Tab-separated table of all heavy atoms in Angstrom:
chain	number	residue	atom	x	y	z
B	9	GLN	N	3.091	13.727	-0.052
B	9	GLN	CA	4.319	13.768	0.753
B	9	GLN	C	4.531	15.179	1.267
B	9	GLN	O	4.351	16.152	0.537
B	9	GLN	CB	5.526	13.362	-0.093
B	9	GLN	CG	5.376	11.975	-0.701
B	9	GLN	CD	6.698	11.381	-1.143
B	9	GLN	OE1	7.764	11.972	-0.905
B	9	GLN	NE2	6.652	10.224	-1.759
B	26	PRO	N	7.014	19.334	18.425
B	26	PRO	CA	5.677	19.017	18.948
B	26	PRO	C	4.837	20.298	19.040
B	26	PRO	O	5.331	21.327	19.535
B	26	PRO	CB	5.976	18.442	20.335
B	26	PRO	CG	7.374	17.927	20.240
B	26	PRO	CD	8.086	18.863	19.308
B	32	GLY	N	1.849	29.149	22.317
B	32	GLY	CA	2.118	29.989	23.477
B	32	GLY	C	3.592	30.277	23.671
B	32	GLY	O	3.963	30.999	24.595
B	48	LEU	N	12.971	28.150	12.682
B	48	LEU	CA	12.445	29.329	13.381
B	48	LEU	C	13.338	30.533	13.117
B	48	LEU	O	14.558	30.402	13.005
B	48	LEU	CB	12.364	29.055	14.885
B	48	LEU	CG	11.156	28.188	15.298
B	48	LEU	CD1	11.350	27.625	16.687
B	48	LEU	CD2	9.856	28.984	15.197
B	57	LEU	N	9.229	40.484	9.804
B	57	LEU	CA	8.104	39.796	9.166
B	57	LEU	C	6.790	40.294	9.760
B	57	LEU	O	5.825	40.582	9.035
B	57	LEU	CB	8.237	38.277	9.359
B	57	LEU	CG	7.045	37.442	8.878
B	57	LEU	CD1	6.788	37.643	7.390
B	57	LEU	CD2	7.269	35.963	9.186
B	69	PRO	N	-12.504	49.681	0.923
B	69	PRO	CA	-13.534	49.017	0.105
B	69	PRO	C	-13.452	49.337	-1.381
B	69	PRO	O	-14.178	48.744	-2.168
B	69	PRO	CB	-14.854	49.574	0.666
B	69	PRO	CG	-14.521	50.238	1.941
B	69	PRO	CD	-13.091	50.646	1.874
B	75	ALA	N	-14.200	44.902	-1.972
B	75	ALA	CA	-15.554	45.081	-2.505
B	75	ALA	C	-16.224	43.732	-2.741
B	75	ALA	O	-17.412	43.543	-2.444
B	75	ALA	CB	-15.503	45.887	-3.804
B	77	ALA	N	-15.611	40.883	-1.174
B	77	ALA	CA	-15.947	40.263	0.117
B	77	ALA	C	-17.226	40.871	0.689
B	77	ALA	O	-18.085	40.158	1.220
B	77	ALA	CB	-14.790	40.431	1.096
B	83	CYS	N	-24.840	38.368	-0.452
B	83	CYS	CA	-25.408	37.315	-1.305
B	83	CYS	C	-25.665	36.027	-0.520
B	83	CYS	O	-26.115	35.039	-1.101
B	83	CYS	CB	-24.453	37.007	-2.463
B	83	CYS	SG	-24.197	38.397	-3.580
B	89	GLN	N	-16.296	31.750	2.756
B	89	GLN	CA	-16.643	31.826	1.338
B	89	GLN	C	-16.359	33.236	0.795
B	89	GLN	O	-15.808	33.387	-0.305
B	89	GLN	CB	-18.128	31.491	1.223
B	89	GLN	CG	-18.663	31.221	-0.140
B	89	GLN	CD	-20.149	30.840	-0.070
B	89	GLN	OE1	-20.733	30.738	1.003
B	89	GLN	NE2	-20.744	30.630	-1.236
B	94	ALA	N	-12.616	36.727	-2.395
B	94	ALA	CA	-11.793	37.937	-2.348
B	94	ALA	C	-10.312	37.622	-2.545
B	94	ALA	O	-9.624	38.295	-3.319
B	94	ALA	CB	-12.017	38.660	-1.024
B	108	GLN	N	6.542	40.468	-7.682
B	108	GLN	CA	7.291	40.967	-8.838
B	108	GLN	C	8.461	41.851	-8.392
B	108	GLN	O	9.548	41.818	-8.989
B	108	GLN	CB	6.343	41.741	-9.764
B	108	GLN	CG	5.286	40.837	-10.416
B	108	GLN	CD	3.970	41.554	-10.693
B	108	GLN	OE1	3.929	42.784	-10.762
B	108	GLN	NE2	2.885	40.803	-10.835
B	110	VAL	N	10.157	41.612	-5.566
B	110	VAL	CA	11.243	40.759	-5.061
B	110	VAL	C	12.043	40.199	-6.239
B	110	VAL	O	13.281	40.190	-6.227
B	110	VAL	CB	10.696	39.609	-4.180
B	110	VAL	CG1	11.829	38.649	-3.798
B	110	VAL	CG2	10.034	40.157	-2.916
B	115	ARG	N	16.944	40.376	-9.651
B	115	ARG	CA	17.584	40.559	-10.968
B	115	ARG	C	18.602	41.689	-10.935
B	115	ARG	O	19.682	41.580	-11.533
B	115	ARG	CB	16.529	40.899	-12.015
B	115	ARG	CG	15.703	39.731	-12.447
B	115	ARG	CD	15.262	39.992	-13.882
B	115	ARG	NE	13.981	39.379	-14.141
B	115	ARG	CZ	13.306	39.534	-15.267
B	115	ARG	NH1	13.780	40.328	-16.220
B	115	ARG	NH2	12.165	38.935	-15.453
B	121	ASP	N	23.363	45.932	-12.748
B	121	ASP	CA	23.125	47.034	-13.683
B	121	ASP	C	21.650	47.434	-13.590
B	121	ASP	O	20.794	46.896	-14.293
B	121	ASP	CB	23.477	46.578	-15.106
B	121	ASP	CG	23.245	47.677	-16.145
B	121	ASP	OD1	22.589	48.699	-15.826
B	121	ASP	OD2	23.703	47.488	-17.279
B	159	VAL	N	13.717	48.501	8.619
B	159	VAL	CA	14.796	47.737	7.978
B	159	VAL	C	16.150	48.342	8.351
B	159	VAL	O	17.101	47.612	8.683
B	159	VAL	CB	14.619	47.706	6.446
B	159	VAL	CG1	15.825	47.051	5.779
B	159	VAL	CG2	13.337	46.971	6.064
B	171	ARG	N	21.137	44.949	1.785
B	171	ARG	CA	21.413	44.913	0.351
B	171	ARG	C	20.179	45.247	-0.486
B	171	ARG	O	20.254	46.009	-1.456
B	171	ARG	CB	21.895	43.491	0.018
B	171	ARG	CG	22.328	43.250	-1.366
B	171	ARG	CD	23.170	41.974	-1.424
B	171	ARG	NE	22.494	40.836	-0.811
B	171	ARG	CZ	22.339	39.648	-1.407
B	171	ARG	NH1	22.820	39.463	-2.634
B	171	ARG	NH2	21.755	38.655	-0.795
B	182	HIS	N	16.312	56.288	-9.186
B	182	HIS	CA	16.444	56.221	-10.634
B	182	HIS	C	15.144	56.616	-11.330
B	182	HIS	O	15.149	57.411	-12.279
B	182	HIS	CB	16.867	54.811	-11.054
B	182	HIS	CG	16.997	54.643	-12.538
B	182	HIS	ND1	18.146	54.958	-13.216
B	182	HIS	CD2	16.104	54.221	-13.464
B	182	HIS	CE1	17.963	54.730	-14.505
B	182	HIS	NE2	16.725	54.281	-14.682
B	190	PRO	N	8.472	62.734	-8.396
B	190	PRO	CA	8.729	61.704	-7.381
B	190	PRO	C	8.034	60.377	-7.699
B	190	PRO	O	6.840	60.351	-7.989
B	190	PRO	CB	8.154	62.312	-6.100
B	190	PRO	CG	8.119	63.786	-6.350
B	190	PRO	CD	7.856	63.944	-7.827
B	197	GLY	N	6.704	47.742	-2.766
B	197	GLY	CA	8.155	47.850	-2.870
B	197	GLY	C	8.827	47.691	-1.512
B	197	GLY	O	9.920	47.107	-1.419
B	222	SER	N	-5.875	39.115	4.013
B	222	SER	CA	-7.016	38.317	4.482
B	222	SER	C	-7.617	38.909	5.757
B	222	SER	O	-8.813	38.759	6.011
B	222	SER	CB	-6.589	36.863	4.745
B	222	SER	OG	-6.326	36.186	3.544
B	235	GLN	N	-23.821	45.306	8.906
B	235	GLN	CA	-24.592	46.358	8.240
B	235	GLN	C	-25.822	45.803	7.543
B	235	GLN	O	-26.817	46.495	7.364
B	235	GLN	CB	-23.726	47.091	7.199
B	235	GLN	CG	-22.683	48.018	7.782
B	235	GLN	CD	-21.828	48.672	6.702
B	235	GLN	OE1	-22.150	48.655	5.515
B	235	GLN	NE2	-20.698	49.245	7.116
B	241	GLY	N	-25.018	45.598	-4.984
B	241	GLY	CA	-24.211	45.743	-6.185
B	241	GLY	C	-23.082	46.734	-5.981
B	241	GLY	O	-22.947	47.337	-4.914
B	248	LEU	N	-26.904	51.900	-12.391
B	248	LEU	CA	-26.723	50.760	-13.300
B	248	LEU	C	-25.464	50.909	-14.155
B	248	LEU	O	-24.382	51.066	-13.598
B	248	LEU	CB	-27.956	50.560	-14.178
B	248	LEU	CG	-29.241	50.149	-13.431
B	248	LEU	CD1	-30.380	49.923	-14.414
B	248	LEU	CD2	-29.030	48.904	-12.583
B	249	TRP	N	-25.597	50.879	-15.483
B	249	TRP	CA	-24.407	50.889	-16.333
B	249	TRP	C	-24.728	51.606	-17.641
B	249	TRP	O	-25.881	51.860	-17.960
B	249	TRP	CB	-23.948	49.457	-16.617
B	249	TRP	CG	-24.959	48.621	-17.332
B	249	TRP	CD1	-25.174	48.535	-18.677
B	249	TRP	CD2	-25.941	47.750	-16.730
B	249	TRP	NE1	-26.200	47.662	-18.945
B	249	TRP	CE2	-26.696	47.166	-17.775
B	249	TRP	CE3	-26.240	47.393	-15.409
B	249	TRP	CZ2	-27.736	46.263	-17.537
B	249	TRP	CZ3	-27.278	46.497	-15.185
B	249	TRP	CH2	-28.006	45.937	-16.227
B	254	SER	N	-25.905	47.531	-29.655
B	254	SER	CA	-26.822	47.871	-30.742
B	254	SER	C	-28.223	48.133	-30.213
B	254	SER	O	-28.563	47.767	-29.087
B	254	SER	CB	-26.846	46.723	-31.745
B	254	SER	OG	-27.189	45.517	-31.072
Side-chain angles (χ1 to χ4, degrees):
Chain B
Q9 302 199 5
L48 282 163
L57 173 60
C83 297
Q89 193 177 357
Q108 293 149 20
V110 174
R115 285 209 211 174
D121 180 347
V159 173
R171 184 162 52 129
H182 179 86
S222 289
Q235 287 178 14
L248 294 182
W249 61 85
S254 56

